[in-house]
Amino acid sequence: MKHHLFRPLATAFCTALLLGGLSLPAQAAGEITVRVDDQAVSFTDAYPLLRDDRTYVPFRAIFEQMDASVSWDGATQTVTAVRDGRTVVFQIGQTDIQITEDGQSHTVSTDAAPFIEGSRTYVPVRFASESFGACVDWVQSTQTVLIVDVDSLIDQAYADAFGYMDAYLQLAGQDGTRTGSFTLSGQYQAAMGSLPIQLSGSAAGQSSAGADALSGAMQLDTAAIQAAIATNEGTEVIDSRIQALLDSLSNSSYEAIFSRTDRALYLSGALATELGAEADGWLAIPFDVLAGQTAGGLLAAPAYDSFAEYAASLAQQLDLEAAPDTTVQTVRTFLEGVRSSYGDQAFTRSDTQATLTNSDCNLALTYTGETLTQAELSCSAQENGVSYTASARHASTGLQLQLSRTDSAGSSLSFSISLDATPGESSPAVRPSGDVTDWQ
């Protein structure tokens, strides 16, 4: 039996692209409506249908409605759609989708495979649409699939609206090697009483826009924890198993991937195992748990090619059902809000600085001439009874990051890491291989 004494450590020490299926009740063919940018899609000789609780559409109709060129290869049983330099390939009977852009390919795993029926090829509408950057929703009362082509809206009005934020992302996501150290301190309010947390360690590895992959040694002050347990519960509570656990954590090694691509911290080692990971496996903790939603998103944003692309990723998650007849306006209103908060007009510029101040976060950019040399980000938030603060200082010479959180039970944790940087070509893993356990 595991003793998870230190599970809350992960909230300060520590999602592949998730494409959810469109789940629907049983429905007869021909009764489902599909609307793209508030216009009904015309299906002439083949209609949307359901299979395994997923909505499928004839591939040519949906892709051409989104201005993509499409082709079918009977020999390989593949559907290919191309738009604006992005190529999406579906294969009959296969749940993996291959997406290629700017010469880089990656595979997205789904739970719905294309199929052929009545000599027509059907693709899952959600995955087909999201592969080209669309927002997709479902209206149960009218049996309607709602699709908004977010990427198209971005290209029309927002691609060049975030010059300062683009410069920040480039600085924060620079390639190179990293070396430094970290500390974690706080008080955890356990059932047995208050437990002090004092953890420190070394960190070294590689960094890119997609992730920091670090490893090192760490030391936990188990004597203070042991004394607190004895005070709260009595010395007899510390049996051989608890003592063995404390001994294993007092000096241990770890590996960590701070994945901006997945917006999650992956952690392995003795601490990760105690926090719930499988032996020799990894624990995945979302950035939102570490820093709150806004700061977590901004810490992940350097994985995107531009801030407009990051804004598009947020817009793809919008709820369209509330105003099903004006979905384009819903997305535009959201994007206008992002531009108002983070667009170039929201910054105050002097000779050496560009400063952003809004209700969520502050950002100060320091320039030498036209070159951005330093960026200081600070955010604070109250979410679901938890208070978060986050600050990060990025420069070509390194990074200083501080995160803290206090929950309604009185547990408080503060994490700080300082990394020196040496610029250079680097390609660390953005996610681990092996078993991954999601943070619960």
Side-chain angles (χ1 to χ4, degrees):
M1 178 179 178
K2 289 185 177 180
H3 292 267
H4 297 296
L5 291 177
F6 310 108
R7 175 174 288 275
L9 282 176
T11 59
F13 185 77
C14 341
T15 36
L17 179 62
L18 296 178
L19 298 178
L22 190 62
S23 181
L24 304 172
Q27 183 78 8
E31 295 184 7
I32 298 170
T33 300
V34 179
R35 293 172 62 86
V36 176
D37 293 342
D38 298 326
Q39 301 297 315
V41 179
S42 176
F43 299 97
T44 56
D45 58 352
Y47 300 94
L49 52 80
L50 293 174
R51 178 168 291 184
D52 298 327
D53 292 329
R54 296 291 181 266
T55 303
Y56 291 80
V57 292
F59 81 93
R60 191 172 297 277
I62 194 65
F63 282 131
E64 289 183 346
Q65 185 73 24
M66 298 181 70
D67 295 325
S69 61
V70 296
S71 61
W72 163 254
D73 187 331
T76 60
Q77 298 274 284
T78 55
V79 173
T80 300
V82 181
R83 189 184 78 166
D84 297 334
R86 182 182 300 177
T87 300
V88 179
V89 179
F90 292 80
Q91 187 170 23
I92 298 301
Q94 302 298 314
T95 56
D96 287 346
I97 303 171
Q98 185 180 50
I99 300 176
T100 302
E101 190 169 19
D102 298 328
Q104 301 293 318
S105 297
H106 67 279
T107 299
V108 176
S109 296
T110 74
D111 60 359
F115 60 88
I116 297 174
E117 185 168 298
S119 75
R120 292 292 184 266
T121 300
Y122 289 84
V123 294
V125 64
R126 176 176 290 276
F127 304 128
S129 303
E130 288 184 339
S131 65
F132 282 114
C135 178
V136 185
D137 211 344
W138 166 253
V139 181
Q140 175 69 28
S141 61
T142 59
Q143 303 287 281
T144 301
V145 179
L146 301 174
I147 301 170
V148 176
D149 191 347
V150 177
D151 275 7
S152 180
L153 293 179
I154 289 287
D155 290 342
Q156 291 171 20
Y158 303 96
D160 300 321
F162 304 101
Y164 288 122
M165 293 303 298
D166 288 344
Y168 161 69
L169 298 189
Q170 185 174 3
L171 180 64
Q174 63 183 344
D175 289 0
T177 58
R178 301 287 185 269
T179 57
S181 61
F182 67 87
T183 61
L184 175 65
S185 61
Q187 290 290 132
Y188 168 48
Q189 301 302 323
M192 66 179 63
S194 180
L195 295 177
I197 306 298
Q198 292 293 332
L199 179 68
S200 61
S202 61
Q206 293 185 313
S207 180
S208 70
D212 298 321
L214 304 170
S215 62
M218 58 184 179
Q219 300 79 44
L220 178 66
D221 185 357
T222 55
I225 295 174
Q226 185 169 331
I229 294 173
T231 299
N232 294 330
E233 295 287 301
T235 56
E236 66 278 2
V237 172
I238 305 175
D239 58 18
S240 59
R241 292 180 298 172
I242 294 294
Q243 188 61 58
L245 170 62
L246 293 172
D247 291 342
S248 69
L249 294 176
S250 61
N251 288 279
S252 61
S253 61
Y254 74 93
E255 291 183 73
I257 300 175
F258 189 82
S259 178
R260 288 175 281 272
T261 299
D262 289 353
R263 194 166 168 164
L265 174 71
Y266 298 104
L267 180 66
S268 73
L271 179 59
T273 302
E274 169 56 23
L275 296 171
E278 297 296 327
D280 300 321
W282 296 77
L283 188 68
I285 305 99
F287 283 6
D288 291 1
V289 173
L290 311 178
Q293 292 183 351
T294 298
L298 291 176
L299 291 174
Y304 294 85
D305 290 336
S306 68
F307 194 79
E309 185 179 317
Y310 169 66
S313 74
L314 300 179
Q316 288 163 23
Q317 303 170 40
L318 291 174
D319 177 8
L320 303 179
E321 184 179 0
D325 296 324
T326 56
T327 59
V328 173
Q329 186 57 48
T330 296
V331 175
R332 280 192 177 133
T333 298
F334 173 81
L335 293 174
E336 282 298 323
V338 176
R339 176 158 60 181
S340 176
S341 296
Y342 297 98
D344 290 343
Q345 78 276 8
F347 283 79
T348 302
R349 179 68 194 261
S350 67
D351 289 341
T352 60
Q353 276 205 328
T355 305
L356 170 72
T357 302
N358 61 42
S359 59
D360 296 321
C361 293
N362 299 330
L363 180 62
L365 306 177
T366 302
Y367 287 82
T368 301
E370 292 302 312
T371 302
L372 178 62
T373 55
Q374 181 174 286
E376 295 183 79
L377 175 71
S378 62
C379 303
S380 60
Q382 289 269 353
E383 299 173 9
N384 301 318
V386 181
S387 299
Y388 298 94
T389 62
S391 64
R393 177 179 295 175
H394 300 274
S396 59
T397 55
L399 163 72
Q400 287 80 46
L401 173 67
Q402 291 183 316
L403 306 173
S404 66
R405 70 190 307 275
T406 301
D407 64 26
S408 57
S411 294
S412 62
L413 292 166
S414 178
F415 173 73
S416 177
I417 187 168
S418 178
L419 297 171
D420 294 329
T422 302
E425 189 172 337
S426 179
S427 55
V430 299
R431 62 183 60 89
S433 58
D435 293 329
V436 175
T437 301
D438 291 332
W439 171 254
Q440 298 296 327

